[in-house]
Amino acid sequence: MLAAPNGRTRCGAEGRDETEGGRSGPKPLCGRGEGGARWRRRRRCRGRGRLRAAAMWPCGGRRQRRFGGAAVLLGVLWLLARRFNWSELIPMRLWGRTLGLQTENSQFLLEGMPFRIFGGSMHYFRVPREYWEDRMLKMKACGLNTLTTYVPWNLHEQTRGKFDFTQDLDLEAFLSLAAKNGLWVILRPGPYICSEWDLGGLPSWLLQDPEMQLRTTYKGFTEAVDAYFDHLMPIVVPLQYKKGGPIIAVQVENEYGSYAKDPNYMAYVKRALLSRGIVELLMTSDNKNGLSFGLVEGALATVNFQKLEPGVLKYLDTVQRDQPKMVMEYWTGWFDNWGGPHYVFDADDYDAVLTEAGDYTSKFFKLRQLFSAIIGQPLPLPPMIESKASYGAILLHQYISLWDVLPSLIQPFKSEFPVNMENLHLNDSSGQSYGYVLYETVIFGGGHLHSRDHVRDRAQVFVNTMYVGELDYNTVELSLPEGQGFRQLRLLVENRGRVNYGLALNEQRKGLIGDVFLNKTPLRNFKIYSLEMKPDFMKSLQQVAGWSAVPDYFVGPAFFRGRLWIEHQPQDTFLKLQGWEKGVVFVNGHNLGRYWKIGPQETLYLPGPWLQKGNNEIVIFEERTAGRIIQSVDIPYLGRTQYVD
């Protein structure tokens, strides 16, 4: 992905390992086999052929013959230029598109002509719609001609059976905009996408089935995939190359060779695509270790890596011979872990092309220089970057305790046993995907509380409203203070996110996934409050009575709110939460994400399109210690930097 936040984001690329012009090694983000020079020779040969035909005209002078031959040559070149120039194409001119993207020995062909792929990833669901075109123009200015994107199932079908392809999820508009801006598309529809995305893009409601086997031909999974593809494919099929659209290739699943639990699964996904009208070149995508296990007949295998190591592309040649060598993912960032440093790599090896806010990095200009030399013609000028604003200090002047919100805003579920987040009866029986769940029960006395490792992922423990401690993967037991009479034991459980990669996808249920014991007796008879904090919840929070002035010192959990007044056209900014401990920030109902004082990240990116002239409401859910102000600054603070070789 070109716009890179803090996770392991990627810049898709196609490359080769043949020697060109005395230089050996891969060309990052460049795949052409050996076709570029051959294409130019072929065009000149065709021109000479037409000129020879012109010389055989029976009448007219030499000047007429030269003029006629030159006109024919110019016409041929004009047609070729228009055929491969998306900015000029409209459906009425899309005649003669029959062959699509093909492979021939070591090169790609498009409509029978050698074709280079200069690709970069841009994920529409990670960029505000208002900035889609800006990022695409920057891709063009970098020298790219192809955009790759995933399709996140868990955003398009958040509630089972209800599909959303509108606003920031308008895939058709995104793909059409790519075509308008002269970019071909390699579509990566999953169903699993990895993408450093919650559960690899799979909907959490799949985990309601206790026997669920994700990414296999298990009936419960394939039935859900079929229903999803039945809605997705009618959107993308008309946008394929052979039907006049920008999609030149479609990827079958994603990195399945690293999972490989079902030998029949990849063939199933391939059939699911073909049977619904996919006609373009199919591809697979795996790291070196997974290449041989992720193959499916009829699909071109491509490779992913962080750094080119000796033998990677040669190994790809042993998996499939006489095919172009293509790097689908040349990773451009890596994981930052809570409490760790912010990792930075040298731009000559490994770095993002754009920042999360769309600003250029040194990598952009290095690649632009490289691609310009390969292409042999000037590239478009890079667009101006968006201005960033520093709106200064923002006072959070009101607060309301979570305990005061519960009676008026949230109707609890009652259950004898603890229920995990995904199996709560809400969202049309699709359960809860994100956020927090509060489990409340009555105890008599204190003693030894033991989670038996059934907390996913972190629980703050309260007796009545008094904070006692935390339970997580590392801390599984606490001592509860003794007290008189019956008291409320409350466990506020945070879902920190489901893993996106690896063999543990089926074990990603959140909340309390089993019994918690007090003095070796399992707790029973719960009231369970869902705190998913969706936009409707945040909107209703505004109307709750009980908001009051923030005292000099207050300990959460609580909601805090303030207002940012903007006089002129809103601009991008970054919110810095120095003095706050841990929580989530919402601006005008948009969830900006988590903050945590342990870092490394110290600011949250706030896109200008999410702001408005005049009043902008900021709401913070703080788990523990709150500050009084937050700062709007014009540069990001990503924490203590550690350079990696």
Side-chain angles (χ1 to χ4, degrees):
M1 177 173 145
L2 282 174
N6 302 314
R8 184 186 77 171
T9 52
R10 297 167 172 178
C11 192
E14 289 81 53
R16 68 185 187 91
D17 66 350
E18 288 85 351
T19 300
E20 176 182 348
R23 295 175 294 176
S24 63
K27 303 298 185 289
L29 295 170
C30 166
R32 71 174 185 89
E34 298 174 331
R38 196 176 303 168
W39 185 0
R40 291 191 290 272
R41 289 197 298 272
R42 193 173 298 177
R43 291 201 306 192
R44 289 197 294 269
C45 179
R46 287 189 176 190
R48 289 196 296 270
R50 295 297 179 101
L51 287 171
R52 284 197 296 271
M56 296 167 59
W57 292 350
C59 62
R62 181 177 297 176
R63 180 178 301 176
Q64 289 176 313
R65 293 195 295 271
R66 288 177 178 171
F67 176 80
V72 171
L73 176 61
L74 287 173
V76 170
L77 295 176
W78 180 82
L79 287 173
L80 285 171
R82 292 187 71 108
R83 176 174 292 182
F84 293 95
N85 182 356
W86 261 104
S87 62
E88 296 295 326
L89 287 177
I90 61 175
M92 290 184 297
R93 297 174 182 159
L94 300 180
W95 48 269
R97 288 170 159 241
T98 57
L99 299 180
L101 186 66
Q102 298 173 301
T103 64
E104 182 182 272
N105 297 323
S106 63
Q107 65 182 352
F108 288 103
L109 306 177
L110 187 61
E111 207 58 45
M113 305 293 276
F115 181 72
R116 288 174 167 175
I117 299 175
F118 298 86
S121 292
M122 174 188 167
H123 303 161
Y124 59 99
F125 49 96
R126 281 185 159 114
V127 180
R129 181 170 181 164
E130 294 85 350
Y131 287 159
W132 285 352
E133 189 160 36
D134 171 78
R135 306 304 193 258
M136 292 177 184
L137 291 173
K138 288 170 179 173
M139 294 178 77
K140 292 291 291 183
C142 191
L144 307 182
N145 65 3
T146 303
L147 177 155
T148 73
T149 188
Y150 287 121
V151 181
W153 181 6
N154 59 4
L155 290 187
H156 289 297
E157 195 183 359
Q158 295 186 50
T159 299
R160 186 165 198 155
K162 294 185 177 181
F163 298 89
D164 184 4
F165 290 92
T166 63
Q167 299 178 358
D168 284 358
L169 297 177
D170 191 339
L171 178 59
E172 181 179 4
F174 176 78
L175 297 175
S176 299
L177 189 63
K180 173 194 168 190
N181 285 283
L183 290 166
W184 303 104
V185 173
I186 296 175
L187 191 70
R188 311 173 76 186
Y192 165 85
I193 63 172
C194 185
S195 189
E196 287 59 62
W197 199 253
D198 192 270
L199 203 59
L202 301 176
S204 62
W205 46 257
L206 289 167
L207 297 174
Q208 291 180 329
D209 179 354
E211 305 299 324
M212 175 56 65
Q213 297 295 314
L214 301 174
R215 302 180 73 191
T216 70
T217 52
Y218 175 73
K219 184 179 179 182
F221 183 70
T222 58
E223 287 179 345
V225 172
D226 289 340
Y228 168 56
F229 275 10
D230 284 345
H231 284 80
L232 173 62
M233 293 306 150
I235 294 173
V236 301
V237 162
L239 294 170
Q240 295 179 98
Y241 173 87
K242 293 173 185 174
K243 297 181 181 295
I247 300 173
I248 57 174
V250 176
Q251 184 174 299
V252 183
E253 236 264 353
N254 190 65
E255 297 181 318
Y256 194 70
S258 300
Y259 197 73
K261 290 190 175 184
D262 185 340
N264 301 314
Y265 174 68
M266 287 293 282
Y268 154 73
V269 178
K270 175 188 169 184
R271 289 194 305 271
L273 294 170
L274 297 179
S275 65
R276 290 169 174 83
I278 294 298
V279 296
E280 304 302 338
L281 179 67
L282 297 180
M283 297 178 172
T284 61
S285 172
D286 285 285
N287 60 35
K288 180 184 175 182
N289 293 334
L291 266 174
S292 60
F293 302 103
L295 300 174
V296 64
E297 184 179 358
L300 177 72
T302 70
V303 68
N304 308 331
F305 50 68
Q306 168 188 342
K307 180 188 294 187
L308 183 63
E309 297 176 353
V312 172
L313 296 181
K314 289 183 179 179
Y315 179 72
L316 178 59
D317 216 9
T318 66
V319 173
Q320 59 177 18
R321 294 190 177 279
D322 300 322
Q323 292 290 328
K325 298 176 182 65
M326 176 167 166
V327 181
M328 181 65 77
E329 299 177 6
Y330 202 146
W331 302 330
T332 63
W334 200 246
F335 304 103
D336 283 354
N337 299 309
W338 287 116
H342 171 57
Y343 294 107
V344 175
F345 292 78
D346 187 88
D348 288 327
D349 171 49
Y350 189 74
D351 194 15
V353 181
L354 299 178
T355 70
E356 182 180 18
D359 296 339
Y360 302 111
T361 68
S362 60
K363 187 75 164 189
F364 175 92
F365 296 102
K366 288 178 181 288
L367 290 177
R368 174 179 160 85
Q369 183 179 17
L370 172 66
F371 293 153
S372 179
I374 295 173
I375 295 170
Q377 61 186 22
L379 297 176
L381 290 175
M384 296 290 291
I385 63 172
E386 294 288 331
S387 298
K388 310 298 185 294
S390 176
Y391 294 113
I394 304 167
L395 176 66
L396 280 296
H397 62 284
Q398 289 186 313
Y399 86 102
I400 185 170
S401 169
L402 174 63
W403 316 125
D404 295 330
V405 168
L406 296 179
S408 58
L409 197 58
I410 304 173
Q411 183 67 33
F413 304 91
K414 295 182 179 180
S415 173
E416 180 180 359
F417 304 96
V419 179
N420 60 286
M421 182 179 283
E422 295 78 9
N423 285 92
L424 294 176
H425 295 292
L426 69 160
N427 295 324
D428 293 334
S429 299
S430 293
Q432 180 177 336
S433 296
Y434 313 108
Y436 300 78
V437 178
L438 178 67
Y439 297 86
E440 186 177 280
T441 188
V442 174
I443 61 173
F444 184 81
H448 185 71
L449 185 70
H450 203 297
S451 72
R452 301 285 177 91
D453 195 27
H454 289 155
V455 171
R456 297 290 183 274
D457 295 297
R458 172 175 167 269
Q460 295 182 80
V461 181
F462 301 85
V463 175
N464 293 332
T465 62
M466 181 183 71
Y467 175 77
V468 176
E470 296 180 3
L471 298 170
D472 57 21
Y473 294 100
N474 299 316
T475 303
V476 296
E477 53 187 326
L478 284 174
S479 293
L480 300 185
E482 296 292 339
Q484 298 296 318
F486 292 98
R487 297 178 297 169
Q488 288 181 318
L489 176 65
R490 290 163 159 166
L491 282 74
L492 180 60
V493 183
E494 176 195 12
N495 170 2
R496 289 188 186 172
R498 299 174 183 85
V499 300
N500 64 285
Y501 180 84
L503 301 178
L505 293 178
N506 295 321
E507 287 78 52
Q508 294 305 305
R509 296 168 184 87
K510 299 297 180 177
L512 293 184
I513 63 169
D515 285 331
V516 175
F517 292 78
L518 178 60
N519 299 326
K520 299 184 179 180
T521 301
L523 297 173
R524 291 290 182 261
N525 299 319
F526 290 92
K527 287 184 179 180
I528 305 175
Y529 297 83
S530 169
L531 292 163
E532 196 164 17
M533 301 188 192
K534 286 186 171 181
D536 287 345
F537 173 85
M538 301 309 297
K539 186 175 181 179
S540 62
L541 192 63
Q542 300 173 1
Q543 313 304 321
V544 172
W547 288 91
S548 52
V550 178
D552 290 337
Y553 179 77
F554 181 83
V555 175
F559 295 92
F560 296 79
R561 70 180 178 187
R563 296 196 179 276
L564 168 62
W565 178 267
I566 298 179
E567 292 282 352
H568 305 291
Q569 183 67 29
Q571 297 176 316
D572 289 3
T573 189
F574 304 88
L575 299 185
K576 190 172 185 180
L577 291 104
Q578 189 171 359
W580 298 73
E581 186 163 334
K582 187 178 189 302
V584 189
V585 180
F586 302 84
V587 177
N588 295 331
H590 294 279
N591 186 338
L592 265 63
R594 292 180 175 93
Y595 64 90
W596 197 353
K597 71 175 184 180
I598 66 174
Q601 183 172 334
E602 299 178 28
T603 55
L604 293 172
Y605 171 54
L606 173 52
W610 290 5
L611 295 168
Q612 60 195 16
K613 278 187 177 182
N615 270 325
N616 294 269
E617 183 179 65
I618 298 176
V619 175
I620 299 177
F621 177 67
E622 168 59 55
E623 297 180 13
R624 292 294 297 145
T625 306
R628 293 295 302 275
I629 63 171
I630 60 175
Q631 294 284 342
S632 165
V633 296
D634 56 5
I635 57 174
Y637 292 85
L638 301 179
R640 176 174 56 88
T641 297
Q642 179 173 321
Y643 287 89
V644 180
D645 294 332

